[in-house]
Amino acid sequence: ANSAAFFSENADKFQQQQEQIAAYSLYGPNAIELLASSFKDRPRKTVLEIGPGEGAFLAELAPRFQQVFAIDNSEQMLNKAEEFAKRGGMSNITFIHGDTKHSQLAAINADCAVINMVLHHLPSPADIFFDLARALKQGGELYVTDLCSHDQNWVRDSCGDLWLGFEPEDLTEWAALAGFKTGENVYLAQRNGFRVQIRQFIKL
């Protein structure tokens, strides 16, 4: 509820707040490169993005997958992503207002799921791995981009963060408990002192 309220109130400031921590331009290309290399010679049918923001990553997913699902608990942010998709002529995206407990997710049976810079806004990030395990088919891949642990407390008020990043070992453990094995990992050092981790997990 707090997450939805924050983004409802700050939807028009999303990009500015994002750039205070880690601009999409700094991690987006690396995240899509990792995903694209894994699916290079494999069928690319269905992908799910959790918390698409204003839709920048959807522009990468839409031409690479037959069907894209985008889910967000903020209706204002979801509307922004949908408007962005319409302007870009992306007609293969289904938008869902809700969270990862939404009943529609279990029926998707996705090949891939993506969650970029969202975990640190959630009260129980470990639960997301279990939710997405139900949405993915066996062998499906989960890509998580988020901050490594840091000590910059100002992000709680300025950016609505609940967590000051995560230790990579924590993500690995949560994923394993939900039935994933760890794949490729990429770590990026940002100029503003934050460190970004891009993680690949494969459903067993």
Side-chain angles (χ1 to χ4, degrees), residues 1-12 14 51-53 70-82 95-99:
N2 288 340
S3 173
F6 178 86
F7 283 100
S8 294
E9 294 168 5
N10 294 274
D12 292 333
F14 172 79
I71 185 166
D72 204 303
N73 66 357
S74 166
E75 188 172 8
Q76 286 82 353
M77 291 305 301
L78 196 67
N79 289 340
K80 280 183 170 290
E82 190 166 5
F95 293 90
I96 303 170
H97 180 216
D99 59 23

Side-chain angles (χ1 to χ4, degrees), residues 98-137:
D99 59 23
T100 53
K101 304 292 185 187
H102 198 288
S103 59
Q104 192 171 342
L105 263 64
I108 290 176
N109 200 32
D111 298 288
C112 180
V114 176
I115 181 165
N116 291 330
M117 295 298 176
V118 171
L119 283 185
H120 58 260
H121 292 291
L122 305 178
S124 301
D127 291 349
I128 300 301
F129 290 88
F130 289 91
D131 295 343
L132 294 180
R134 289 191 289 270
L136 286 165
K137 63 179 59 174

Side-chain angles (χ1 to χ4, degrees), residues 166-184:
F166 304 96
E167 293 295 333
E169 295 79 10
D170 288 337
L171 299 191
T172 299
E173 180 181 356
W174 296 339
L177 289 172
F180 291 93
K181 69 176 182 179
T182 300
E184 299 294 326

Side-chain angles (χ1 to χ4, degrees), residues 3-157:
S3 173
F6 178 86
F7 283 100
S8 294
E9 294 168 5
N10 294 274
D12 292 333
K13 304 174 185 176
F14 172 79
Q15 187 171 355
Q16 178 184 350
Q17 290 162 339
Q18 179 99 331
E19 289 178 353
Q20 290 184 68
I21 300 176
Y24 171 79
S25 61
L26 298 177
Y27 69 82
N30 290 278
I32 197 62
E33 182 180 354
L34 181 60
L35 185 155
S37 64
S38 180
F39 280 86
K40 183 177 180 181
D41 300 313
R42 298 170 51 201
R44 295 176 289 181
K45 295 182 179 179
T46 308
V47 62
L48 167 67
E49 183 175 12
I50 311 300
E54 294 184 345
F57 208 73
L58 292 175
E60 302 288 351
L61 296 175
R64 289 180 167 88
F65 288 86
Q66 294 177 20
Q67 181 65 51
V68 181
F69 292 88
I71 185 166
D72 204 303
N73 66 357
S74 166
E75 188 172 8
Q76 286 82 353
M77 291 305 301
L78 196 67
N79 289 340
K80 280 183 170 290
E82 190 166 5
E83 290 168 7
F84 175 81
K86 287 180 179 178
R87 290 196 302 270
M90 296 171 240
S91 59
N92 60 335
I93 305 176
T94 299
F95 293 90
I96 303 170
H97 180 216
D99 59 23
T100 53
K101 304 292 185 187
H102 198 288
S103 59
Q104 192 171 342
L105 263 64
I108 290 176
N109 200 32
D111 298 288
C112 180
V114 176
I115 181 165
N116 291 330
M117 295 298 176
V118 171
L119 283 185
H120 58 260
H121 292 291
L122 305 178
S124 301
D127 291 349
I128 300 301
F129 290 88
F130 289 91
D131 295 343
L132 294 180
R134 289 191 289 270
L136 286 165
K137 63 179 59 174
Q138 185 175 7
E141 298 182 6
L142 169 60
Y143 291 85
V144 178
T145 300
D146 217 292
L147 301 172
C148 293
S149 295
H150 62 86
D151 59 3
Q152 302 195 46
N153 283 287
W154 60 267
V155 300
R156 296 188 191 276
D157 293 328

